[in-house]
Amino acid sequence: MTPKEVMEFAKKHNVEMVDYKFCDFPGTWQHFTTPTSELEDAVFDEGLGFDGSSIRGWQAIHNSDMLVVPDPKTAVIDPFMEKPTLSLICDIEDPITRERYSRDPRNIARKAMAYLESTGIGDTAYFGPEPEFFIFDSVRFDQTQNSGFYELDSVEGNWNTGEDGGQNLGHKPRYKEGYFPVPPTDSQQDIRTDMVQAMEAVGLRVEKHHHEVATAGQAEIDLRFLPMVEMGDALMWYKYCVKNVARQHGRTATFMPKPLFMDNGTGMHTHQSIWKGGKPLFAGDGYGGMSEMAMHYIAGILQHAPAICAYTNPTTNSYRRLVPGFEAPVNLAYSSRNRSASVRIPMYSPSPKAKRIEVRFPDPSCNGYLAFAVMLMAGLDGIERKLDPGAALDKDIYSLSRADLKDVPSVPGSLEGALDALQADHEFMLRGDVFTQDVVDTWIAYKYDREVDAMRLRPHPYEFALYYDA
């Protein structure tokens, strides 16, 4: 839409309020709302002011004035507000220079797409993430100086088979067997359907939904692939719809990568491909029906994966999932069809348009704009330098011994390890001014200060079981 069309759209739908959404540095939507009377054509050019010092990882207080500038193409009706509310996704600008803000994740994704075009390699990067999540009935947690705990519960949880707090109807998914029996074992079909319909209401195209492997309401809803920036927007709407529909049902949803012990964690397998002039560039006559370009792209992902993890697996909890020998693909190898490899070549269709790679180690705690951008930049580095991914590993990697895997690298074992890898390997991200040095340095400092060091200082509950009698 144009600004004029947005105004007409608002009038047609009797909009009473306008909500301005933008993504902070870690990846959470922030917003503020104005009456429709304040929506004028000038807003799309001049923007609206806000305090950038109150947004995580952004401006210092002495330099805090910033602008949100709504993108008219993103106008939709928010499906969760009681009063008719127009929603607009916004870009962030400096009010003095009117330059787009270097730490705005959406801007970083835009610059990555501009860099792709500048290389002449392609003009479109398609991304198709598969975010997983849990739907719980309740969550309790606290951390004080002398105590710390969490407790999750779900009527679906297999730990509740013996619960005697009322009527117990059984049919609870066994551990690692939630993929994917029909109802009544799958008790959340209607909740996921409501989530899908909320996504469709804001213009997302959904391919399917289903229960995932873990007990206690693990779920997945798959979106149709989109160009990278649009998919960044779509992932924000995806999380928003999932969390708000869960709340409408008296439930709570989380994209935390590893909320449950001894059952599958939550990943975000991410399909990606490059096109030019409407033609797919990853199809060819090589391994898995892929092109030489696709092989170079895979090599770039594998070479830079430890640094990529700082953005695709950006929480300390991410590395409770990425543990060697368990369900997540941690070994940096590629293969066709093989879900134990960290990069997979799906073989569902022989069509050239379906040829893509699937990066399997990311998780949905990430900021989609940043995660997609860093993977694209790594893949482009592989193409530009003609990197070789080596031989495919067409084996069940989970069944291989440590000796078998001694020459196969793996993802970092902690957020600290990923940040150290990012510190040592980020030149590929700086090309085209996509990620600036300031963005990299701020990300590392923020993660160390707010997460790595914060976790180091706190005793873990299980340490009392291990060491209290020391």
Side-chain angles (χ1 to χ4, degrees):
M1 293 189 206
T2 65
K4 182 180 179 181
E5 289 170 336
V6 172
M7 306 288 281
E8 293 170 350
F9 179 79
K11 185 175 181 180
K12 175 183 176 182
H13 290 275
N14 299 311
V15 165
E16 297 180 28
M17 307 299 288
V18 182
D19 198 54
Y20 300 89
K21 297 179 173 72
F22 62 94
C23 184
D24 69 9
F25 208 36
T28 300
W29 251 351
Q30 308 293 327
H31 80 130
F32 62 86
T33 310
T34 69
T36 309
S37 58
E38 294 296 306
L39 180 66
E40 301 174 347
D41 285 343
V43 169
F44 295 93
D45 294 320
E46 299 173 7
L48 296 167
F50 73 102
D51 174 11
S53 68
S54 296
I55 305 301
R56 298 179 297 172
W58 280 8
Q59 296 291 81
I61 195 167
H62 67 278
N63 197 24
S64 59
D65 287 354
M66 306 192 78
L67 294 175
V68 294
V69 181
D71 182 345
K73 297 189 297 296
T74 66
V76 295
I77 301 299
D78 190 306
F80 299 104
M81 300 298 104
E82 181 180 346
K83 302 294 184 182
T85 300
L86 177 71
S87 177
L88 292 161
I89 298 176
C90 302
D91 298 306
I92 308 302
E93 292 186 5
D94 184 290
I96 307 301
T97 66
R98 294 308 306 267
E99 293 180 353
R100 287 184 171 169
Y101 186 40
S102 63
R103 297 185 196 173
D104 175 10
R106 196 168 191 255
N107 181 40
I108 292 170
R110 284 181 182 276
K111 289 191 292 182
M113 287 304 303
Y115 179 73
L116 168 63
E117 293 189 54
S118 75
T119 65
I121 292 171
D123 53 35
T124 306
Y126 284 112
F127 278 74
E130 299 176 351
E132 298 167 352
F133 54 94
F134 277 91
I135 305 168
F136 294 120
D137 293 328
S138 67
V139 55
R140 298 169 58 238
F141 54 89
D142 198 9
Q143 179 75 57
T144 67
Q145 288 177 315
N146 68 319
S147 69
F149 80 96
Y150 70 90
E151 184 177 26
L152 303 165
D153 206 4
S154 168
V155 71
E156 264 202 8
N158 194 258
W159 59 83
N160 278 323
T161 55
E163 179 63 29
D164 190 24
Q167 191 177 30
N168 190 336
L169 301 178
H171 295 295
K172 304 179 192 305
R174 286 181 285 269
Y175 298 110
K176 298 183 180 293
E177 293 188 24
Y179 187 90
F180 30 41
V182 298
T185 302
D186 177 5
S187 68
Q188 298 180 346
Q189 171 80 12
D190 290 337
I191 298 177
R192 294 195 308 272
T193 294
D194 286 351
M195 291 171 176
V196 168
Q197 291 179 338
M199 293 177 193
E200 291 179 327
V202 296
L204 306 189
R205 183 173 173 183
V206 176
E207 293 186 331
K208 63 178 178 294
H209 74 78
H210 57 81
H211 204 289
E212 257 297 339
V213 173
T215 190
Q218 191 180 36
E220 178 177 314
I221 300 172
D222 294 338
L223 297 177
R224 177 79 169 176
F225 65 88
L226 287 169
M228 193 179 76
V229 177
E230 287 89 332
M231 182 53 79
D233 294 344
L235 184 58
M236 299 306 295
W237 273 115
Y238 181 109
K239 292 183 176 182
Y240 183 77
C241 291
V242 164
K243 292 176 181 178
N244 279 285
V245 169
R247 191 174 183 88
Q248 288 178 336
H249 282 264
R251 311 292 177 88
T252 177
T254 180
F255 291 89
M256 208 174 154
K258 189 70 173 179
L260 293 183
F261 172 56
M262 290 302 289
D263 210 337
N264 278 33
T266 290
M268 189 180 77
H269 309 143
T270 304
H271 300 255
Q272 45 205 279
S273 62
I274 295 176
W275 293 47
K276 186 175 184 179
K279 295 182 179 179
L281 302 182
F282 277 10
D285 56 6
Y287 174 83
M290 303 298 275
S291 67
E292 183 178 351
M293 177 187 290
M295 291 294 105
H296 294 321
Y297 190 100
I298 289 172
I301 294 287
L302 295 176
Q303 176 164 316
H304 296 298
I308 291 171
C309 283
Y311 290 100
T312 58
N313 306 83
T315 69
T316 59
N317 186 253
S318 298
Y319 300 88
R320 313 291 189 202
R321 169 180 170 261
L322 295 178
V323 179
F326 292 88
E327 84 275 2
V330 300
N331 297 105
L332 295 174
Y334 75 96
S335 181
S336 66
R337 303 181 68 180
N338 186 352
R339 283 175 166 79
S340 64
S342 58
V343 177
R344 185 175 78 99
I345 299 170
M347 300 297 289
Y348 295 124
S349 170
S351 169
K353 293 182 178 181
K355 286 301 176 184
R356 61 198 187 275
I357 72 162
E358 177 192 25
V359 182
R360 293 181 60 79
F361 55 81
D363 70 58
S365 67
C366 70
N367 182 326
Y369 298 111
L370 301 183
F372 301 154
V374 75
M375 285 188 280
L376 177 63
M377 294 302 290
L380 292 177
D381 182 59
I383 293 171
E384 291 176 304
R385 294 168 55 202
K386 299 188 182 302
L387 298 179
D388 183 358
L393 191 55
D394 293 324
K395 300 178 181 179
D396 178 2
I397 298 173
Y398 298 145
S399 68
L400 299 180
S401 67
R402 290 183 182 272
D404 294 329
L405 293 170
K406 64 182 176 63
D407 296 324
V408 180
S410 63
V411 299
S414 66
L415 178 57
E416 182 178 7
L419 294 172
D420 289 347
L422 176 62
Q423 182 70 66
D425 176 28
H426 59 261
E427 291 298 321
F428 71 97
M429 300 163 51
L430 304 180
R431 294 176 190 159
D433 200 39
V434 175
F435 287 79
T436 63
Q437 189 65 52
D438 170 70
V439 165
V440 173
D441 292 344
T442 301
W443 185 262
I444 293 171
Y446 180 92
K447 288 288 175 177
Y448 262 104
D449 180 53
R450 301 289 188 92
E451 298 175 37
V452 173
D453 290 343
M455 283 292 292
R456 282 173 172 167
L457 291 168
R458 289 164 170 80
H460 188 286
Y462 193 59
E463 289 177 326
F464 286 84
L466 291 173
Y467 309 126
Y468 189 74
D469 60 351

